[in-house]
Amino acid sequence: MEAARCRPRAPAISVAESVSSGVSGNTIAVIAALVWAAAAIVTAVRILNSKSLDDESPSPPADAPLVSVVIPARNEAHNIERCLRSVLTATYPRLEIIVVDDQSADGTGDIARRVAAGDGRVRVMLNDAPPPRWFGKQWACNTGARVAHGEFILFADADTVHSSELIARSINTMLRRNADLFSVAGRQELGSFWEKLVQPQVFGMLALRYGGTESVTQSRFVSGKIANGQCMFVRRKPYEELGGHGLVRSHVAEDMMMAQRFFAAGKSVVLAEGRNHLSTRMYMSLAGIVEGWGKNVYAGGRDSIRMGRTGRILYPFMLLSAPLSGLLPAVVLLASPFIALPVPLLIWAALTQVFLLAWWGYVYVGIGESPFYALLSPLGAGVVLYIFVRAIARGRRVAWKGREYVSA
């Protein structure tokens, strides 16, 4: 009896306190998961609030202004014929097309000349090597613009395919909305397994950052502006007044910087959705995806951040948070049979993974792909994380198509 009296007592915890403590942690886990779901829902709503080229007239305007199409092309033998033939189907009546062969080693220029044979609208020219501090694409665009005669200039990537009505609908949009810079967000062609797994991840992150076309067009902040350099129209006069592509000669994300510089100068920047009128197959392999996005996401993405120097310091952590948020819930759930993990963490991971699967299922159905790819979304997030880490390690050093650059 005496020994029993001397035995130390365990701290008394009431049932109510125990339940309250458990509910608190679980509640935080649920709230954290719901915050992610709310962000996804808001992104979806912002995307739906977009303007489409389908809403514009396909008929060319009266007294249609001359449009110059400049196509910079370096080692694009596998793309240039398809691109050029699609532009030549344009119903727009006043058109000149300038293909700038950027010292290709694969016969790009010869293919373009063969396709254009007998069509007086097309000119194929060989470009000089870019001067110091110039990226090759910007130099080729600048060269094409210097010999162009159009009141409007369309800069089109060689891996794009255009509908016959794209130019007419775009010029109608520019005239109606008084746009100085106008670009079209088209459909991304996804051929291989890795394209279908990784490309939606990157574009989903861009949608999370920028929203739909009207979010970009109506943004009051320079950092909220972005353009699609795959299909970007400019009015010749403000383009030349601002310095042409010399304005962005050393920026790897030249389209985004062009939109920001136009807006900062008081010009009108407009973005529209045009999936039925423009398509692009950016990369055809995992290696191409890694190299292509690796040159843009860090060196170019820094220019999309607010808060000046502080924002640039924080940017690597912000960049990595996107793929980590898509990868960590799956990692936690896969590790749970082998490691004792807190219940709130498991609740967060399970709920967030359900929301992620629903989100990616919605995305894949929206782009016309099988929703079963949503099940592999953690793998896609892992690949994107690798691309981002690699890009951050390279810093402002950029390698693309056999050339080395340092982005501004």
Side-chain angles (χ1 to χ4, degrees):
M1 290 292 294
E2 200 63 33
R5 288 195 194 102
C6 295
R7 187 179 301 150
R9 292 185 177 182
I13 301 177
S14 69
V15 174
E17 288 175 329
S18 177
V19 172
S20 174
S21 175
V23 169
S24 176
N26 295 347
T27 301
I28 292 173
V30 172
I31 291 173
L34 289 175
V35 167
W36 194 100
I41 292 170
V42 170
T43 299
V45 171
R46 294 173 77 201
I47 292 172
L48 291 173
N49 182 31
S50 292
K51 298 295 185 182
S52 172
L53 280 184
D54 291 339
D55 300 328
E56 293 291 344
S57 170
S59 302
D63 300 322
L66 177 65
V67 175
S68 300
V69 182
V70 175
I71 306 174
R74 177 171 170 81
N75 295 331
E76 294 283 359
H78 56 297
N79 283 321
I80 192 63
E81 180 170 356
R82 187 176 74 143
C83 174
L84 186 52
R85 288 193 185 281
S86 73
V87 177
L88 288 171
T89 67
T91 57
Y92 194 83
R94 300 192 62 207
L95 202 64
E96 67 171 359
I97 303 167
I98 303 162
V99 178
V100 183
D101 180 7
D102 184 14
Q103 301 191 327
S104 299
D106 63 353
T108 295
D110 294 333
I111 295 172
R113 291 183 189 91
R114 173 174 56 78
V115 173
D119 195 316
R121 296 175 296 174
V122 184
R123 174 181 178 180
V124 181
M125 57 187 299
L126 179 64
N127 203 23
D128 298 328
R133 299 184 61 199
W134 276 83
F135 276 65
K137 178 181 178 180
Q138 286 91 306
W139 180 240
C141 288
N142 202 69
T143 298
R146 283 205 314 264
V147 301
H149 300 94
E151 180 183 342
F152 293 83
I153 303 175
L154 163 59
F155 297 101
D157 281 1
D159 55 5
T160 56
V161 176
H162 302 220
S163 78
S164 60
E165 298 173 352
L166 170 66
I167 295 177
R169 289 178 183 268
S170 296
I171 294 300
N172 285 334
T173 302
M174 292 189 75
L175 293 174
R176 182 177 61 82
R177 303 189 71 169
N178 195 30
D180 296 300
L181 185 150
F182 171 71
S183 62
V184 179
R187 177 175 61 87
Q188 296 299 316
E189 299 176 22
L190 307 175
S192 68
F193 168 80
W194 290 110
E195 290 171 81
K196 294 177 182 180
L197 200 62
V198 179
Q199 291 289 78
Q201 291 273 341
V202 179
F203 282 101
M205 293 170 193
L206 288 172
L208 187 65
R209 165 65 179 86
Y210 291 101
T213 65
E214 290 307 286
S215 299
V216 173
T217 300
Q218 296 174 8
S219 175
R220 296 174 297 165
F221 301 100
V222 170
S223 60
K225 297 298 181 181
I226 194 171
N228 180 18
Q230 298 166 354
C231 180
M232 185 172 69
F233 292 79
V234 295
R235 289 182 187 262
R236 182 189 191 89
K237 185 177 179 182
Y239 171 77
E240 291 183 341
E241 287 175 349
L242 292 174
H245 269 76
L247 188 67
V248 295
R249 63 181 179 272
S250 56
H251 289 271
V252 64
E254 91 292 340
D255 45 6
M256 179 183 70
M257 284 307 300
M258 188 72 79
Q260 291 186 4
R261 295 286 171 82
F262 263 63
F263 182 72
K267 308 303 180 183
S268 173
V269 176
V270 175
L271 177 67
E273 181 272 318
R275 287 184 295 173
N276 294 325
H277 302 282
L278 176 75
S279 67
T280 311
R281 187 172 183 185
M282 295 176 65
Y283 313 115
M284 297 187 179
S285 66
L286 179 58
I289 292 170
V290 171
E291 183 184 15
W293 285 118
K295 72 180 173 62
N296 282 341
V297 292
Y298 177 73
R302 298 182 316 145
D303 294 316
S304 67
I305 300 302
R306 300 178 194 172
M307 301 186 297
R309 180 179 175 81
T310 302
R312 291 197 169 198
I313 292 173
L314 295 175
Y315 180 59
F317 304 99
M318 298 164 62
L319 186 63
L320 295 178
S321 68
L324 281 172
S325 68
L327 181 61
L328 284 179
V331 170
V332 169
L333 293 176
L334 290 173
S336 62
F338 311 101
I339 303 173
L341 296 172
V343 171
L345 180 61
L346 293 174
I347 292 174
W348 166 81
L351 286 176
T352 303
Q353 191 60 52
V354 169
F355 293 143
L356 282 166
L357 289 175
W359 163 254
W360 288 117
Y362 165 79
V363 169
Y364 278 107
V365 169
I367 63 177
E369 297 290 346
S370 170
F372 289 106
Y373 277 101
L375 298 173
L376 297 175
S377 59
L379 176 59
V383 174
V384 172
L385 179 62
Y386 167 75
I387 294 172
F388 287 6
V389 169
R390 189 169 179 265
I392 292 169
R394 289 189 62 91
R396 296 188 297 119
R397 294 178 295 112
V398 175
W400 187 240
K401 294 194 174 182
R403 289 173 175 159
E404 297 280 341
Y405 308 100
V406 177
S407 185

